[in-house]
Amino acid sequence: MLRGLLMAGGGVQLLVCAAMAAPVAPTLRMYSQQLEVEYATADDAGRASVDVAPVYDGRDWAFSARWDDCSLNSLQMRQHMAKFGLKGTFYLTQNNAKNNFGPEYCKELMQDGFSIGGHTMTHPKLPELDAGKIWWELCANRVGREDDTETPLNSLAFSYGQFRSDKPEAFLMISEAVRRTGYHHCVYADFVRNNPNLAPGEFSTGCQVVPGDKVVDAQKFQADLEKPVSRSPEAYRKWSHCIFLGVHAWQAGEEWNKLDAVFQTISGKPEWWYCNQTEWAAYARQVTCSELKAEPAEAAAVARRYALSRPVPGDLGTATPLTCVIGKANVKGVKLDGQTVPFETRGAAVVVNLPHGQGQALPQRIGHIEVPTAAQALADSLECADFPGLKGLLVADPAQQKLSLTLDAPTACELRNVHIRFRLPLQYEPGIVIKTLDSVKAGAPQTVDIALPAPKPEPFWSEGPQYWVAEIDFTGPTGAGRLFVTRLVP
Ligand SMILES: [Zn+2]
């Protein structure tokens, strides 16, 4: 992945990697931008190298945290971390019956740049479940928490850290369910690094360092942190440029003070990018799937153009810019789609952060319609709370190999640029089927049918409940939105 190490002046090192021609998932939405760099001379233009940085803003490491489970202690953890400018992600199961861990709880957890990740619905040992339950546990959790937080979820922590058992099909089913759910980051490095069921580069991960869930051990933490940071950074960077804290916010009393002391030692490093896991995952996915190609130019030209192909923010999870490092050349100016972009000279290299294009926005609001088992026709009860008046129905007819989605938009909420991903139960391959519509016009319910692929022959794929999901991205009157229409058939 690393193409070179640029030694910049003043001892500053900038890591770069080639814009990857890595496997772009066929279901990923991509768009193009044009980068234009004006160099000091034609010689500069001729010898310049333009690369994508593996960490945002050309930093050495991304630094994050993962804290698991619905726990009131997590609110305290967030405050302790925020005091030191640290960020991270809370991995949540579903809300409880008392509503202690719903949207309000998420909102509190997400202050100061923290985010939410998936941790299954009910915290089961996934390898003990059948295919239908594995799929529902993972996918329904992502749907529910996107609805609660109005933000995309791209990162997963397995409940009990379990994704394998002595049944070989368990690992196979769980891997397939995770990728089909729409995640592309997992905190378990072993799941990402040693998994023949994932495409190369399909998932990102990181190196976990643990200060101590109940008893904080600062010495052990520092020793563990030194391994990636100073002892063998190259070995670690071969598989991730992210280091993160974990695992549980179980500290109490004096342990919080000991944790503060640890946080003090890792805060304020200008060479680290303090980010949540959602941002790290989105950035890593961008690096893997973006492509930067120089366009043909006259040898005497001082300005050079590069075609940038990159995934849309809604599929990445955040709208974090993509960092380019321009080496071996003096730069006079940088433009992206004709707009001037600031750049910074650091030693011998130039660092430029490329924002996403105008009109490429994350969903501002995410809604969910849960279709009851008995529903057969559009009804007022199938209205989305997040998009008033918008109704949806999902009907599966496996015997006829048919899945039907019906959308009904009110006058106040006409949908444009409608992109539908049907996420199918595990026995179907391909597991994600895409349909697009120019619009769903007001007052005219529109139905989209897909033919279900033939089920896989091994019976284990078809066991358990059937969970059907339509994930609909669109542009509405108030901007980008996402709607899930789901149906659980027990
Ligand atoms: Zn847990």
Side-chain angles (χ1 to χ4, degrees), residues 344-392:
E344 203 184 304
T345 304
R346 291 189 208 157
V350 165
V351 176
V352 54
N353 297 316
L354 304 174
H356 279 283
Q358 286 177 350
Q360 298 293 341
L362 280 178
Q364 302 298 299
R365 185 156 272 280
I366 301 181
H368 180 200
I369 298 169
E370 265 182 286
V371 180
T373 312
Q376 286 304 327
L378 266 186
D380 288 345
S381 59
L382 298 175
E383 182 177 336
C384 181
D386 288 77
F387 302 102
L390 182 60
K391 290 175 211 156

Side-chain angles (χ1 to χ4, degrees), residues 17 79 151 250 317 329 341 374 406 462:
C17 62
Q79 287 178 347
T151 60
W250 289 341
V341 181
T406 303
S462 304

Side-chain angles (χ1 to χ4, degrees), residues 85-401:
L86 303 173
K87 290 192 200 177
T89 297
F90 296 95
Y91 290 83
L92 306 183
T93 53
Q94 66 183 348
N95 194 1
N96 65 356
K98 290 185 189 158
N99 194 30
N100 298 123
F101 305 114
E104 284 305 313
Y105 171 71
C106 293
K107 204 170 168 183
E108 267 194 72
L109 285 179
M110 290 167 69
Q111 292 171 77
D112 300 314
F114 288 74
S115 73
I116 303 301
H119 195 45
T120 72
M121 289 294 272
T122 68
H123 212 282
K125 292 179 173 166
L126 284 176
E128 295 176 359
L129 304 185
D130 60 38
K133 289 207 188 79
I134 290 170
W135 170 234
W136 176 79
E137 284 282 351
L138 289 163
C139 196
N141 178 232
R142 175 175 168 249
V143 171
R145 289 311 191 177
E146 288 208 358
D147 181 28
D148 288 345
T149 60
E150 318 295 345
T151 60
L153 262 63
N154 61 13
S155 174
L156 170 74
F158 288 106
S159 39
Y160 300 109
Q162 286 198 11
F163 48 87
R164 276 196 191 93
S165 72
D166 44 17
K167 270 193 317 187
E169 67 266 28
F171 187 38
L172 192 62
M173 290 190 292
I174 291 167
S175 301
E176 184 49 39
V178 172
R179 62 208 295 256
R180 197 170 286 206
T181 293
Y183 292 127
H184 49 81
H185 177 273
C186 178
V187 297
Y188 289 96
D190 179 40
F191 177 79
V192 174
R193 297 180 65 199
N194 302 307
N195 194 339
N197 308 308
L198 306 178
E202 188 179 359
F203 274 68
S204 60
T205 185
C207 168
Q208 180 170 278
V209 281
V210 177
D213 281 355
K214 281 191 177 136
V215 179
V216 175
D217 185 342
Q219 245 180 337
K220 182 177 183 305
F221 173 79
Q222 290 302 340
D224 286 347
L225 185 61
E226 272 172 28
K227 288 176 206 165
V229 171
S230 49
R231 270 206 267 155
S232 41
E234 286 77 17
Y236 281 90
R237 286 189 181 120
K238 275 187 189 137
W239 56 272
S240 182
H241 287 71
C242 181
I243 302 168
F244 65 89
L245 305 169
V247 179
H248 295 102
W250 289 341
Q251 297 77 9
E254 182 55 25
E255 297 307 312
W256 284 117
N257 296 330
K258 285 157 73 182
L259 203 55
D260 280 353
V262 167
F263 289 168
Q264 178 82 58
T265 67
I266 51 177
S267 72
K269 295 182 188 294
E271 70 275 22
W272 289 4
W273 174 38
Y274 296 96
C275 58
N276 61 51
Q277 303 267 16
T278 315
E279 290 170 315
W280 161 246
Y283 189 84
R285 184 92 168 131
Q286 234 187 155
V287 170
T288 310
C289 297
S290 297
E291 221 185 340
L292 199 53
K293 265 194 207 149
E295 291 177 3
E298 302 286 332
V302 292
R304 298 293 164 99
R305 287 177 169 170
Y306 307 85
L308 172 62
S309 164
R310 66 197 294 191
V312 305
D315 286 5
L316 294 168
T318 69
T320 308
L322 181 67
T323 303
C324 272
V325 177
I326 304 168
K328 298 180 281 208
N330 292 306
V331 172
K332 288 275 188 216
V334 180
K335 282 183 180 174
L336 187 65
D337 286 344
Q339 303 284 315
T340 300
V341 181
F343 64 90
E344 203 184 304
T345 304
R346 291 189 208 157
V350 165
V351 176
V352 54
N353 297 316
L354 304 174
H356 279 283
Q358 286 177 350
Q360 298 293 341
L362 280 178
Q364 302 298 299
R365 185 156 272 280
I366 301 181
H368 180 200
I369 298 169
E370 265 182 286
V371 180
T373 312
Q376 286 304 327
L378 266 186
D380 288 345
S381 59
L382 298 175
E383 182 177 336
C384 181
D386 288 77
F387 302 102
L390 182 60
K391 290 175 211 156
L393 174 71
L394 192 61
V395 180
D397 187 348
Q400 299 297 319
Q401 297 193 325

